[in-house]
Amino acid sequence: MPLVGLTGPICSGKDTLVEFLVEELDFKLIERVYKADEASDHVYQVDDEILVGANALIDYVTQRWRSRLVMNGIPSTQFLNGIIKRPFFLLVYVDAPVLTRFRRYRSYPHKKNTTLEQFCAIQDEAAFKSDNSVNRHRSLAQVHINNDAFEKPVLRDKLRSADMMNNDRFRPSWDSYFMQMASLAAMRSNCMKRRVGCVLVRDNRIIATGYNGTPRGIKNCNEGGCPRCNSALSCGTDLHTCLCLHAEENALLEAGRERVGSNGILYCDTCPCLTCSVKIAQVGISEVVYSTSYSMDNHTASILKEGGVRLRQFVPPENNVF
């Protein structure tokens, strides 16, 4: 169970998110009862317990990591640097358009005379002028929520559909873990048409990785090595002229049939094409897990089914909630 830290600019909707977590998901709020400056200790309260300083708070939530706890705001750089390493912590950034936030700000009776310029100055102070700035939090957040509606029920509906407590957000499942590695492998691709990455696994151990691009010794695709990929041909056209090896092909060539064995699983961030499917079946892969669809999905599914290979799509929880 998690500790959720909420951050974001002024009037972005963090209070509403706290209400949702407390009322619908049984979270307890960690309240800041004394807001000190960056150089001093903050004081917190959870139920009847008083905690002084970032280290005391980190120790408290670590010992109770199975509890559902939420805090509104990140009190200090010291706290963030200490807690973000923990596997039970989720940093959520809530944002909204400036004018929407300005309207919310002015809805408070004692703020109704605030000008837009004054509001922007307050916003900029929090976003840019501190080591513990909101902008720094944004770059570290695992989940980003766009709260662009003025009505609270709209945000609550978004949160219900966001699957906030999906375990993959805290400790990736094997599917999520290997699919992220496939996406990382894709970053090495030099193919001008699309980046594709692949990971070949047996007994939850990686035996080979692959990404698409021209063969060894051939000029890289992004340097003109494959005329077809460097042309304006549409997807799926003149594939027989393509010089690029696919990610799946590279992984299978790297592993070989003997290393794949009878229970190998192939993770690919894009559904394999028909040509790769034939090779996957031949090598003896037992399962193919993909993330993004491709134009040949139906043909691929037919070949793999006939070859006794299970095909399924993995869809991770969305980290950007709009």
Side-chain angles (χ1 to χ4, degrees):
M1 296 297 178
L3 165 64
V4 173
L6 303 181
T7 186
I10 300 166
C11 292
S12 58
K14 298 183 291 296
D15 290 340
T16 303
L17 185 45
V18 168
E19 292 173 5
F20 172 82
L21 293 174
V22 171
E23 294 172 7
E24 298 200 19
L25 297 180
D26 297 323
F27 274 71
K28 288 184 179 180
L29 176 63
I30 300 173
E31 297 185 80
R32 216 182 319 175
V33 295
Y34 172 64
K35 184 177 180 180
D37 58 37
E38 188 75 13
S40 305
D41 283 334
H42 298 259
V43 180
Y44 311 90
Q45 182 172 354
V46 188
D47 293 330
D48 295 326
E49 188 151 0
I50 300 296
L51 307 166
V52 180
N55 289 335
L57 179 57
I58 291 173
D59 289 344
Y60 177 89
V61 297
T62 300
Q63 293 168 21
R64 295 161 179 80
W65 68 272
R66 293 184 183 276
S67 302
R68 292 191 172 192
L69 301 170
V70 58
M71 60 186 311
N72 191 350
I74 302 301
S76 67
T77 303
Q78 178 189 2
F79 173 78
L80 183 59
N81 289 344
I83 199 66
I84 204 165
K85 305 169 187 175
R86 307 299 167 103
F88 54 83
F89 179 66
L90 185 71
L91 184 60
V92 177
Y93 186 91
V94 189
D95 204 352
V98 173
L99 290 179
T100 301
R101 292 190 288 107
F102 177 56
R103 286 173 58 203
R104 293 172 185 158
Y105 190 80
R106 283 177 38 112
S107 68
Y108 297 105
H110 60 295
K111 304 290 187 182
K112 65 181 181 180
N113 294 324
T114 304
T115 66
L116 179 58
E117 184 176 358
Q118 290 170 332
F119 176 77
C120 289
I122 297 169
Q123 152 72 26
D124 288 348
E125 181 74 26
F128 295 101
K129 298 183 179 179
S130 167
D131 289 340
N132 190 40
S133 69
V134 171
N135 275 4
R136 180 169 183 265
H137 301 166
R138 180 173 188 162
S139 66
L140 296 172
Q142 297 104 312
V143 178
H144 293 79
I145 297 175
N146 174 34
N147 180 24
D148 55 356
F150 200 75
E151 299 79 14
K152 288 184 178 182
V154 177
L155 176 58
R156 283 185 172 245
D157 286 342
K158 286 184 181 182
L159 297 174
R160 291 187 190 101
S161 64
D163 197 12
M164 291 276 291
M165 295 303 105
N166 190 303
N167 285 333
D168 271 358
R169 299 193 187 281
F170 302 93
R171 188 189 187 206
S173 63
W174 287 118
D175 279 354
S176 181
Y177 178 66
F178 292 128
M179 198 62 76
Q180 288 180 49
M181 289 193 170
S183 296
L184 180 60
M187 297 300 294
R188 282 288 302 166
S189 170
N190 61 67
C191 180
M192 291 297 289
K193 283 294 185 183
R194 71 169 68 216
R195 285 175 164 174
V196 180
C198 174
V199 174
L200 197 52
V201 175
R202 187 179 65 215
D203 299 327
N204 290 331
R205 295 293 180 267
I206 294 174
I207 57 177
T209 63
Y211 54 87
N212 57 328
T214 47
R216 187 188 305 273
I218 305 298
K219 185 187 296 184
N220 284 339
C221 182
N222 61 356
E223 296 171 341
C226 178
R228 185 260 173 188
C229 287
N230 283 271
S231 70
L233 292 173
S234 60
C235 178
T237 303
D238 287 350
L239 293 178
H240 65 285
T241 67
C242 183
L243 300 183
C244 288
L245 284 165
H246 291 191
E248 302 93 323
E249 292 175 311
N250 274 322
L252 293 172
L253 287 168
E254 177 70 22
R257 184 183 178 92
E258 295 304 317
R259 291 180 64 202
V260 171
S262 60
N263 59 345
I265 302 176
L266 186 145
Y267 287 87
C268 194
D269 59 359
T270 304
C271 187
C273 70
L274 183 61
T275 303
C276 286
S277 300
V278 172
K279 296 170 184 174
I280 289 168
Q282 174 66 12
V283 169
I285 296 291
S286 64
E287 184 175 24
V288 171
V289 185
Y290 71 97
S291 177
T292 304
S293 294
Y294 187 51
S295 59
M296 300 182 184
D297 284 9
N298 290 336
H299 297 296
T300 293
S302 176
I303 287 295
L304 293 180
K305 181 178 180 180
E306 188 172 349
V309 182
R310 182 186 178 196
L311 175 69
R312 62 184 173 89
Q313 185 173 17
F314 171 71
V315 181
E318 181 58 62
N319 291 330
N320 296 300
V321 182
F322 293 99

